[in-house]
Amino acid sequence: MRPHKLTPIILLASIVMLGTACKTFVVKNVNYAHQIESVLTPDEDGTVTDVRHGITFNVSPFQKQEFGENDSTNQIKEVRLIRNAEGFYFITANQFKNVYVMEPGNGSLKLKNKIKVSEERISEPAFNMRDGVVQLVKVESNEVITMNQNGIKKNDKEEEQS
């Protein structure tokens, strides 16, 4: 075969291969929720690993956010973590005033929202998943705060947090 006769065959094969490569395979209605919170203990470097859900991250940035850059007296002993159906991680710990809503990225967790849940530091927080929304339970007072990635929900309305 001469090279000029192969050109249409090569062109046709390229178009077919390109056409099949451009098709997108999508699975819809994925629920990312963790129904039960994970309680994680940081190692000496501040790294926590949740083997069950396959995530590892360092808690030092959260500690700096909550307690300040130079506060070495408040060490995070346990991190509370839960994930909602949309895939956002909710993170808090003992003595925090906030819940951090983190969006997973390429090798990162990016702050989506910082939800202030108390003026005083919470001594015993716990997460639950109820009816598709995240609940933060203040164990010391039995107060339940319902939230999603946008903020605290009151009377089925979202209260935006900044």
Side-chain angles (χ1 to χ4, degrees):
M1 262 188 167
R2 293 186 193 135
H4 67 281
K5 289 187 178 183
L6 287 176
T7 304
I9 295 171
I10 292 172
L11 185 61
L12 180 62
S14 298
I15 291 171
V16 170
M17 288 174 49
L18 184 63
T20 58
C22 291
K23 290 183 181 179
T24 304
F25 178 71
V26 176
V27 178
K28 295 185 179 188
N29 299 320
V30 175
N31 183 343
Y32 291 100
H34 300 170
Q35 297 301 316
I36 300 171
E37 74 173 347
S38 296
V39 181
L40 310 171
T41 304
D43 65 13
E44 61 277 353
D45 297 322
T47 301
V48 293
T49 300
D50 185 350
V51 176
R52 178 175 47 163
H53 296 111
I55 184 170
T56 299
F57 61 93
N58 193 287
V59 297
S60 297
F62 296 99
Q63 185 165 324
K64 288 176 185 172
Q65 282 286 313
E66 282 293 316
F67 305 119
E69 196 72 36
N70 299 321
D71 189 347
S72 61
T73 59
N74 287 308
Q75 295 294 318
I76 298 174
K77 293 179 178 53
E78 290 181 334
V79 173
R80 306 282 175 156
L81 171 79
I82 199 163
R83 193 173 190 193
N84 71 357
E86 290 79 18
F88 293 96
Y89 289 97
F90 293 72
I91 300 170
T92 197
N94 290 1
Q95 303 306 312
F96 276 23
K97 293 181 181 181
N98 301 290
V99 170
Y100 294 85
V101 181
M102 306 301 288
E103 184 175 7
N106 189 8
S108 67
L109 289 173
K110 178 182 172 187
L111 181 67
K112 162 76 173 162
N113 201 353
K114 181 177 171 180
I115 303 171
K116 188 166 192 165
V117 291
S118 180
E119 293 297 325
E120 304 294 321
R121 300 203 180 275
I122 303 171
S123 62
E124 294 182 66
F127 283 125
N128 285 325
M129 183 70 67
R130 297 272 192 266
D131 300 324
V133 293
V134 172
Q135 292 180 331
L136 175 73
V137 179
K138 296 180 185 178
V139 176
E140 68 273 10
S141 65
N142 276 339
E143 180 184 355
V144 177
I145 300 171
T146 303
M147 62 186 75
N148 65 17
Q149 66 271 15
N150 298 317
I152 295 173
K153 295 184 71 164
K154 293 185 179 183
N155 301 328
D156 295 328
K157 293 182 181 177
E158 291 179 18
E159 180 180 294
E160 292 292 322
Q161 300 289 320
S162 55

